[in-house]
Amino acid sequence: MSEQSAQKHSFQAEVAQLLHLVTHSLYSNPEIFLRELISNASDACDKLRFEGINHPEYYENDPDLHVRISLDKENKTITISDNGIGLSEQEAIDNLGTIAKSGTKDFMSKLTGDQKADAQLIGQFGVGFYSGFIVAEKITVESRRAGLSENEGVRWISGGTGDFEVEQISKASRGTDIILHLREDALEYLEAWKVKQIVNKYSDHISLPIEMQKEVWQEEEAAEGEEAKGGKMVKTDEWEVINSASALWTRSKSEITEEQYIEFYKNLTHNFEAPLTWAHNHVEGNTEYTQLLYIPAKAPSDIFTREAKAGIKLYVKRVFIMDDADNLIPNYLRFVQGVVDSADLPLNVSRELLQESRDVRTIREGNTRRILNLLDGLAKSEDEKDQEKFKQFYSEFGSVIKEGLGEDFSNRERILKLLRYATSSNDDVVTSFADYKARMKEGQKAIYYVTADSLSAAKNSPQLELFKKKGIEVILMSDRVDEWAMNFVQEFDGTPLQNVSKGAVDLGDLQDAEEKKALEAAAEHFKPVVDKLSDTLKDKTKEVRVTTRLVDSPACLVTPEGDLSPQLIRMLKQAGQTVPDSKPILEINPEHPLVKKLEGTQQFDDLANVIFDQAVIAEGGLPEDPAEYVKRINNLLLK
Ligand code: ADP
């Protein structure tokens, strides 16, 4: 059979860009290439194990899965071979020529050109296969997919710049050989001791045996009468295992060092940065499983997109079943990465089956509890390092766990305890509901909070004026998710929560009888103005009323109890949703000169509309008709 000639292909633009970065930014830690390629080999063996459940013939006569590393000093190559699932020709073109991951473009746009910062970013993103080009001037991949015949192998060759070549070859053994043609400055990776050292450091916990050809010392024979000549190391036909080859999570905690946990995480997630913390447990009971769950140090860039995936790998009795098993962790903890190994689920479990399984529900609840406990432990810890970790966690993922208030009713109290906010008396996002409660004024019956689009809008909200005057602390909420999440929360630890921009303010005992009387008198006095305002603004407001909550501002908008707030409406509209119409209540400050001016003015219409539009602006919105607003202001200015 005549072999087909090689076909040239161009890398996808992003790959070419990534390759350039890999070779220019990652050279400070070149040895990680080995970890990445071993990790890919191990994934390929996992995939074979999984597909082999339904296709036992894929094993051919080669059932013991392994990774082999061969060094060839003469040709200056290091080869990483596996007998895993392998690649078909099309898969080689697709998987080694494009980046399938979502968020790639987004990732590329974040690159700064600063090598150190970019190396960090690449670390978070994971370069995988392409890291081979840190040490190789050329990479040859020879592979045959399990299930294909011997002459359906593929050879892929690239120098790591614009393009690669692919041709069909014949390959006797199933799986993949990655042959790195080392650059002159990377020849140290031809030394067996060096390779063993790296494997020990990064890949010891890989559950697969990693093997190297055993070398023995061979004396050179000395001729008679001569001194002994010495000798050299020569390779034998025997392969020796150079790693521990047991899945890390199956070992007992006491046998695992911190470094090993961290390396495992980096391997698992292709993340270069150490995780913030982790939990490792073997759970027995109705459902038996092992969980090793990590909280990353940084949020991935796609955490708030629809593509954001759960980062849990599911194994059943150490057989890899699937990535991103989103049934094993609730959506609001989607940043958690790790492994769950179940003793009870069937090996051929599908995603559909996972949804209905009772075992899965139990595992999911167990994972949720474990993560919330882990976070609670950090939050409560006296240890400064833990506190620092909690702070970092919160700044990365605080707004994600808030989603749990609406998603996970059974853990709402636990989630509430983890939340931290800025308040009207402390700009730092450190105050918990419990802290706030401890600082409440005598006679204060509710936890007060305000929601706005930004911290400064919350802080300067007119709704807060009376609270400031009276020295009552108010929690400032400015995350997009706050407004929605707080819909699900009525109280904390027995104390009601009150959104000060919703409904009438009731300060209860904090307001004295005199103030209440003054309000009644003002309401009486302003009744004609209020009636006229209601009429003038009837298309814009649901109601107009006099308030004591304002000190410096003439008016503010209040959301009727039970309605969506203006911020939430804006947010939903931006997200392209149709929102039921809701008109706010306009509250006016009877002490304010502009409001007093409403009595007896010739320009009632202009003034009324301007007061309303200003209230809209004060809480971060825009007047419905900005040009009209400007015209009315100018009318007033000119008179
Ligand atoms: P990742 O592993 O993060 O998906 P890589 O760039 O490391 O990204 O690899 C790209 C793809 O190439 C993998 O998803 C896999 O499909 C394929 N691949 C890489 N190495 C191997 C291998 N040793 N055996 C089979 N397929 C592989």
Side-chain angles (χ1 to χ4, degrees), residues 18 36-45 47 80-88 91-92 94-101 125-131 141 143-144 175-178 269-270 323:
L18 185 64
E36 298 295 306
L37 297 182
I38 289 174
S39 173
N40 280 350
S42 160
D43 289 349
C45 291
K47 282 182 200 155
I80 293 96
S81 306
D82 66 70
N83 54 353
I85 194 72
L87 292 156
S88 67
E91 284 171 332
D94 291 344
N95 299 343
L96 305 179
T98 58
I99 302 176
K101 271 186 214 138
F125 185 76
V127 276
F129 170 75
Y130 303 106
S131 65
V141 178
S143 190
R144 174 164 69 79
T176 306
D177 300 337
I178 311 276
T269 61
H270 295 286
D323 277 315

Side-chain angles (χ1 to χ4, degrees), residues 132-264:
F133 286 106
I134 307 172
V135 295
E137 57 193 13
K138 183 171 98 175
I139 299 182
T140 306
V141 178
E142 294 182 353
S143 190
R144 174 164 69 79
R145 202 186 197 285
L148 295 184
S149 64
E150 221 176 285
N151 54 20
E152 291 179 285
V154 59
R155 180 182 290 131
W156 178 105
I157 300 179
S158 176
T161 47
D163 45 34
F164 58 90
E165 275 177 24
V166 172
E167 65 184 315
Q168 196 174 332
I169 58 164
S170 153
K171 185 172 182 291
S173 57
R174 164 200 80 229
T176 306
D177 300 337
I178 311 276
I179 305 154
L180 306 175
H181 306 264
L182 294 175
R183 297 211 301 238
E184 284 302 320
D185 60 1
L187 297 181
E188 57 185 313
Y189 302 108
L190 293 174
E191 300 298 335
W193 65 267
K194 177 84 189 173
V195 171
K196 283 182 189 170
Q197 191 188 47
I198 302 172
V199 169
N200 187 281
K201 184 166 164 195
Y202 295 113
S203 308
D204 190 52
H205 54 77
I206 292 277
S207 55
L208 220 53
I210 301 170
E211 302 175 348
M212 279 178 78
Q213 235 168 333
K214 201 166 179 171
E215 293 185 339
V216 292
W217 184 256
Q218 197 175 61
E219 299 276 350
E220 267 177 56
E221 271 183 44
E224 235 181 13
E226 258 182 335
E227 294 268 312
K229 276 185 179 162
K232 59 179 180 188
M233 295 300 287
V234 291
K235 293 198 173 92
T236 65
D237 291 341
E238 227 178 300
W239 291 86
E240 63 173 338
V241 178
I242 59 170
N243 66 332
S244 304
S246 71
L248 181 101
W249 66 87
T250 62
R251 301 188 215 160
S252 89
K253 275 193 213 182
S254 58
E255 285 169 22
I256 308 173
T257 65
E258 186 150 323
E259 283 72 38
Q260 286 172 326
Y261 274 120
I262 294 174
E263 273 317 317
F264 180 73

Side-chain angles (χ1 to χ4, degrees), residues 13-39:
E14 279 89 359
V15 177
Q17 218 178 332
L18 185 64
L19 279 167
H20 180 83
L21 277 157
V22 166
T23 42
H24 289 83
S25 304
L26 286 180
Y27 58 79
S28 59
N29 194 18
E31 63 192 28
I32 57 102
F33 81 90
L34 199 53
R35 165 178 88 195
E36 298 295 306
L37 297 182
I38 289 174
S39 173

